[in-house]
Structures are given as C-alpha cells and as structure tokens.
Amino acid sequence: MKRLATAFMAVLCVTEMTMAQTRVIDLRFIETTDVHGCFFPYDFVERRPMRGTLARVSSYVKRLRQKHGENLILLENGDILQGQPTCYYYNYVATDVPNIAAEIVNYMGYDAQTFGNHDVETGHKVYDKWRSEVCCPILGANIIDSKTGEPYVRPYTILNREGIKIAVLGMLTPAIPNWLDEELWRGLAFEDIKESARRWVQYLRENEKPDIIVGLFHSGWSGGIRTSQYEEDETETVARDVPGFDVIFFGHDHTQRLTTVVNTAGDSVLCINPSCNAVMVGDVSVQLEIDGDNKLVNKKISGALYDVCGEEIDEEFVERFQPEFARVKEFVDRPIGFIEDSIYIRDSFFGSSPFIDLIHNLQLAITGADVSFNAPLSVNVSVPKGEIRMSEMFKLYKYENMIYVMRMTGREIREHLEMSYDLWVNTMTNAEDHILLLDDRSRTDMQKCGFKNLTFNFDSAAGIEYEVDVTKPDGNKVRILRFSDGRCFNEDEWYHVVMNSYRGNGGGELMTKGAGIPRDSLKSRIIYQSEKDQRHYLAAEIEKMGSVCPKANGNWRFVPEKWTVPAIRRDREFMFGK
C-alpha cells in the first residue's frame, strides 16, 4: 500500500509540473469592414447625429487594449475610402494634405487592412497616395501588378504575440474589371480568391509556419454575381475548400454573419462579418494553450458581433480630428440651389418618379444623348423641399461614378431594359400577386432590403415612351412605343445612351448579359466619358439652373393597370408602410 501511495504521489507531482509548465495566451481580434467614411458621430449627408462610427469603435478598442495590451489585434477590411462626404472631400478636394482615412487608421493603431472595391474605385491617384500614408500593412494577395506578376501590395503580414505567430492573409473580390473603368485599376489584375488562397496558405505553412492563419477578405459570403470570368463572393467556398484558416474576417456584402464552417480537412473555421458603417464590429477571442516545450497544444476560438452604438464617443478622437470635421462640414453646408418640392427615391420602384427622372433629365441635358439609363442607388432616401446644399447631392447620387455616353442599337436598349425589369418586378399571374420581385429572407440585408435583387441594377429609361407588361414572361415585358419627342424608335437604328460608368463597364451585366454586347466590345462603344465624377456635373447643372422643380416624366408605366395599380398600392405599403 505504501509503494502504491508513493507511486501515486510521483504521478501527481509530474502532472502538477506539467500543468505548471503549461501557459495560456489570450488573443482578441477586432474587425471593422465597409466603414464607408463613417468616421465621426455625425451624418454629413443627413446633417444629424449618426449611430456607431469609428469614434465609438475607438472607445471600445481603447477599453479592450487596457485589458489585452498588444494581444488586441485590430483589422480593417476595406471600403473605407467611399461613402460619407468626408471621403469625397479628402479624396478629391483637399488633396494637398494626408487622406483622413489614413490618418484615422493610424490614430486607432490598426495592425493590418485590405483594399475594398470602392477603394479601387477612387483611382490610382487617390488610393496610391492613401496607401503611402497608412502606417499598417495594406494587404491583397490576389491584387497582381501586371508588370511584375507579383502582388501589388503585401499579400500577408506576420504578427508575433508572446511567441505566437499569426499570419493575416488579405484578399479582394476579383470582380473589379467587370465594374470599373480600366483607367482606375490600370496595371493591375485580380486573381480568383480560392486559387490565390490555396497557393498562399501552402506558402505560409511551408515558409512562415504560423500558429494561426487569419483571412481578411473583402468578399461576401456567397452568391453575388457569377460569370465565366469571376465569382464575386467566395468566403464560404474558401472556408470550406481551402484548409488552413482558423478565422476568416470578411465583408463586402453588408450582411451580418457569424458562423462556423467545417472544411474538407474536418477542421472548424470561424467566419464573421459585422456588416457596414461601423455600427458593429467582429469580435473574436482566441485562447491558446502552450506546453512546456513552447508547443501549441490546444486552441479555442469564439466570436461575437458586437454593437458599438452603446459605446461612449471617444472624445480624444473627436478632438484630434476637429479641424478635419469642420472643413468637411463647411463643404457640405454650401448652398448650390433650390428644389421646389420634396422627392423620394422609394417612388422610383413603382413607376416614373420625380427623384430618378430629375437625374435622367440632368443626364440628358448635360450630354445631349437620345436615351438615359439610371437606377436607384439607395432604397429610402429623400431630398426635402427648400435649399439644396452640397450634402443633398450625396443623396441624389451616392457613388463617384463617371458619366458615359455609349452607342447602342434600339434592340440593345430594349433588351437592356428587359433584364432590368426581370430583376425588378414579379411576373404576375393573378391580381393579388406582388408586383415587385421580393424575398423575405433579404429584409435584414442592408443592400437588398427585402428585394430579391440589388436595386442599383433596376434601370429605367428616359427619352423614350414605353410600357412594362408584368403579366408577360421574362424577356418579353418591355414595349418601346416612341421617343418622347415624337420620333420613331427603331430597333435596328443606332442611338446615343447616357449612363454611369459602372453600368457602361458591364456592372450588373445589363449591358452584357442583358443587351448582349460582348464585354470586350464595351470600350469601343464609349463616345463620351466625363473627366470628373457624376455628382460634380449634377451639382454644377443644378447650380447653373438655380432652382429645380422635379416632376415625373410619365414616360413609362406598368401594365395592365387594373392589376398593377392595386398591386403598387399594396407593395408600397408592404415595403414602406402607410
């Protein structure tokens, strides 16, 4: 019995020694993504306080740093250079000082960040300056310099914390060339994320031998646009099919998601997306157990989507950037004209509307084109009656697209519209059907807002008179009657069509899949391309006019009206309330 007790004590001593030699390291990762210029707790477009914003994220991060110190890792995941007027002002107006997006990333002490598609949309002059001013590594393994064949920015970064080696691998949706004018990304190529991730994970394992591999992807979960050239949203596919990742922080699709994927090797991968506008952050805890030989023996990973709206505003942050804030506010408060009635973008989903037709008519006036294409770029914004300030122009036109005029045949114009309305409206089979093509699953999706498809692909037209018969099958709904000035419309004739550069470059596929124009022919169809962004010209035209009185052109309608009029009333109430 004495020998047994002695043996037991010996085992116990060994166990205690092993436990004493084992140590636990706690890491905390915070992700922001698709911030879109929401830096300050003030909405420069609506001129009112704003929820969330990096001013509150900064408070949260500072509080966590008091607990975790350098083990708090802060990651930014792209689309930081476009959105609020703050971005526009420092991208295109105040170009003689550091970009505020870089200044804020540096102030907050981010450890790494990626490119987003809207960052690329600002053009080389803006984003090359911005990335030279950012102190942390900017990542993009699949953004390739065409001259060298190497990544244009760093593919990954290695972070060391208490002997733990963390690899952060950056990726960008490869759809850029299918959306943006080549001048904006000239000299670059964009690889498929899955192929690039597989190659770089292998490289990391063989050369860096990290303890943790973190993905930082500006790519949505799944779905999006798929063509023979690219897949827009690949996060789910990569998490499942490319073993090696422990966590993937992602974004781009503006949809909150926290889920775990079991990959093909049987390992779990935590995937997290806090959506947009710095209202939420991705918050991931990683607990690592290290044995006496400094080997990683266990890893526990958990995550949460944290709402920062309840955080206090970081007053030091606000004070640091008060001069920049004041300059932007002065810019957006500048009066440029007068609007004689309020206009609402939601009206554009139900027929010819003052909001969209104001843009149509300005585009036609600016370019002299025969036909205008335009789509709602938001779901529920309005411009109130009264003085128009520069801030209202960011409601009227959300993105920094250019203006294109392109040659199209009458048939291509109709087929372009056919695809648009097929994305937009339901094929009604009885009087009680929805007229809009809706999807209850997307009601919480900040991009689709209850629609089945993205509303910025719902092109209507001006300059022509036409009907949309919602009882007809897809591809046969649109009947063009004539030009609005009385001219005959001929499907075999060539016409000049004004549109934004996103559409003219093939964005949304309305020009390619819809109108049937080969992608490599689009550039040859451009007969005019504006030097500056579309908002600049719209603002200049309104300033020249002094006062605008927007009215619906009434040049198109949904038919048969005995079904569509009640259906419009029902769907308007269903989507927007009474």
Side-chain angles (χ1 to χ4, degrees):
M1 180 66 83
K2 186 175 181 180
R3 286 198 301 270
L4 182 61
T6 302
F8 174 75
M9 290 301 293
V11 171
L12 183 61
C13 288
V14 171
T15 302
E16 287 177 346
M17 288 175 62
T18 302
M19 290 178 64
Q21 291 171 344
T22 299
R23 60 193 178 100
V24 173
I25 298 173
D26 290 312
L27 301 176
R28 193 78 169 264
F29 293 81
I30 299 296
E31 174 209 14
T32 58
T33 188
D34 298 89
V35 169
H36 288 291
C38 295
F39 306 146
F40 305 116
Y42 181 79
D43 188 330
F44 289 100
V45 177
E46 298 290 349
R47 299 201 297 277
R48 66 188 182 196
M50 178 182 278
R51 299 170 63 237
T53 76
L54 291 187
R56 290 186 175 88
V57 174
S58 182
S59 285
Y60 186 55
V61 169
K62 284 181 177 180
R63 182 152 53 84
L64 291 179
R65 280 193 177 127
Q66 290 177 355
K67 177 181 179 181
H68 296 281
E70 289 190 352
N71 286 2
L72 187 284
I73 296 165
L74 184 58
L75 303 173
E76 197 335 89
N77 195 28
D79 275 8
I80 197 171
L81 289 179
Q82 183 278 330
Q84 279 281 309
T86 324
C87 298
Y88 185 86
Y89 182 78
Y90 282 95
N91 288 347
Y92 304 109
V93 182
T95 58
D96 58 338
V97 296
N99 194 302
I100 193 169
E103 294 282 86
I104 287 175
V105 163
N106 295 341
Y107 172 87
M108 291 180 65
Y110 278 87
D111 292 283
Q113 88 169 102
T114 57
F115 262 97
N117 55 294
H118 285 294
D119 301 327
V120 177
E121 190 173 23
T122 63
H124 269 289
K125 189 174 181 180
V126 173
Y127 61 73
D128 284 340
K129 174 178 177 290
W130 159 74
R131 69 190 185 96
S132 73
E133 296 164 350
V134 172
C135 292
C136 71
I138 297 179
L139 310 179
N142 68 325
I143 307 173
I144 306 302
D145 186 321
S146 301
K147 290 183 179 178
T148 66
E150 299 296 323
Y152 183 65
V153 290
R154 291 170 63 169
Y156 66 89
T157 190
I158 297 294
L159 306 173
N160 290 285
R161 301 292 190 270
E162 295 190 51
I164 296 298
K165 199 171 188 180
I166 305 155
V168 182
L169 180 65
M171 296 285 172
L172 170 63
T173 178
I176 305 298
N178 299 272
W179 296 336
L180 304 180
D181 188 307
E182 185 178 354
E183 196 60 38
L184 300 174
W185 49 271
R186 186 174 298 281
L188 303 180
F190 304 88
E191 293 182 335
D192 176 78
I193 291 179
K194 185 175 176 180
E195 293 177 10
S196 184
R198 197 185 302 279
R199 186 171 67 253
W200 281 105
V201 166
Q202 181 179 349
Y203 178 89
L204 289 169
R205 284 173 155 175
E206 293 175 355
N207 295 276
E208 299 286 2
K209 298 178 174 56
D211 299 295
I212 301 172
I213 298 180
V214 173
L216 191 59
F217 293 0
H218 194 85
S219 174
W221 181 243
S222 64
I225 299 173
R226 290 187 177 96
T227 72
S228 58
Q229 289 87 24
Y230 73 94
E231 185 172 346
E232 180 180 0
D233 298 325
E234 295 184 85
T235 299
E236 181 184 23
T237 302
V238 173
R240 183 186 64 238
D241 295 344
V242 183
F245 290 100
D246 295 286
V247 182
I248 297 179
F249 295 97
F250 69 106
H252 178 63
D253 59 10
H254 293 196
T255 302
Q256 294 176 25
R257 185 178 291 271
L258 174 62
T259 190
T260 298
V261 172
V262 177
N263 64 26
T264 53
D267 299 320
S268 294
V269 185
L270 182 70
C271 302
I272 188 166
N273 177 358
S275 187
C276 59
N277 299 340
V279 171
M280 311 283 288
V281 295
D283 190 336
V284 172
S285 296
V286 179
Q287 188 179 79
L288 305 165
E289 188 177 342
I290 311 299
D291 69 12
D293 296 323
N294 282 325
K295 292 182 179 178
L296 178 61
V297 295
N298 194 25
K299 190 186 303 181
K300 293 181 181 178
I301 300 174
S302 61
L305 294 168
Y306 181 76
D307 187 337
V308 300
C309 294
E311 292 289 320
E312 294 293 327
I313 294 168
D314 181 354
E315 295 301 336
E316 291 181 356
F317 178 104
V318 172
E319 183 178 355
R320 161 63 182 82
F321 294 105
Q322 182 58 39
E324 290 85 352
F325 177 93
R327 292 181 74 178
V328 177
K329 193 164 188 311
E330 181 182 10
F331 171 71
V332 298
D333 284 348
R334 183 176 72 85
I336 61 170
F338 189 88
I339 186 167
E340 296 184 17
D341 206 355
S342 300
I343 55 176
Y344 305 87
I345 202 165
R346 62 176 177 252
D347 293 340
S348 63
F349 301 114
F350 305 102
S352 174
S353 71
F355 194 110
I356 290 297
D357 289 349
L358 173 60
I359 301 172
H360 274 312
N361 296 340
L362 290 172
Q363 288 187 155
L364 291 170
I366 291 165
T367 64
D370 299 301
V371 178
S372 169
F373 287 155
N374 185 39
L377 303 182
S378 302
V379 173
N380 201 19
V381 301
S382 62
V383 177
K385 175 182 177 179
E387 191 172 54
I388 302 176
R389 300 174 187 265
M390 191 63 196
S391 58
E392 263 77 49
M393 297 308 300
F394 289 83
K395 300 180 193 178
L396 200 62
Y397 206 86
K398 186 175 181 178
Y399 299 113
E400 277 79 72
N401 302 139
M402 305 301 174
I403 300 175
Y404 280 8
V405 177
M406 303 184 72
R407 294 176 67 249
M408 297 179 71
T409 67
R411 180 173 291 102
E412 289 168 345
I413 291 170
R414 179 183 57 77
E415 290 177 345
H416 177 111
L417 291 172
E418 293 281 12
M419 181 174 173
S420 170
Y421 285 100
D422 290 344
L423 295 171
W424 178 348
V425 299
N426 185 34
T427 300
M428 296 181 69
T429 59
N430 63 71
E432 301 305 313
D433 276 347
H434 285 291
I435 188 170
L436 300 178
L437 193 56
L438 305 175
D439 185 348
D440 282 340
R441 294 170 298 180
S442 75
R443 290 188 74 83
T444 58
D445 184 318
M446 293 189 68
Q447 286 188 304
K448 293 182 178 177
C449 301
F451 289 93
K452 183 176 180 180
N453 297 300
L454 295 164
T455 62
F456 54 71
N457 290 323
F458 296 179
D459 271 8
S460 61
I464 52 175
E465 311 281 320
Y466 63 100
E467 294 178 340
V468 182
D469 190 336
V470 296
T471 67
K472 300 293 186 184
D474 285 356
N476 291 281
K477 287 183 169 66
V478 177
R479 185 166 73 99
I480 299 175
L481 306 172
R482 65 189 74 84
F483 279 99
S484 295
D485 62 8
R487 285 180 292 152
C488 291
F489 183 88
N490 189 331
E491 291 210 346
D492 295 323
E493 291 290 332
W494 287 89
Y495 301 111
H496 292 174
V497 185
V498 58
M499 65 193 74
N500 65 50
S501 55
Y502 170 81
R503 187 71 73 234
N505 285 308
E509 300 182 282
L510 298 182
M511 292 289 282
T512 52
K513 187 176 177 181
I517 302 171
R519 181 169 299 280
D520 57 8
S521 298
L522 288 175
K523 191 169 184 178
S524 68
R525 297 292 193 94
I526 302 169
I527 60 172
Y528 168 77
Q529 178 176 341
S530 65
E531 180 182 350
K532 296 185 178 181
D533 66 280
Q534 186 153 357
R535 189 187 302 115
H536 169 85
Y537 295 98
L538 296 176
E541 191 70 15
I542 290 173
E543 197 161 17
K544 183 173 70 175
M545 295 168 66
S547 179
V548 293
C549 184
K551 302 289 183 184
N553 291 337
N555 64 301
W556 70 271
R557 61 187 182 133
F558 290 122
V559 295
E561 291 186 330
K562 64 180 180 180
W563 282 13
T564 61
V565 171
I568 286 170
R569 186 166 54 247
R570 290 194 307 271
D571 277 6
R572 183 188 291 272
E573 184 174 334
F574 178 78
M575 291 294 291
F576 302 106
K578 293 185 178 180

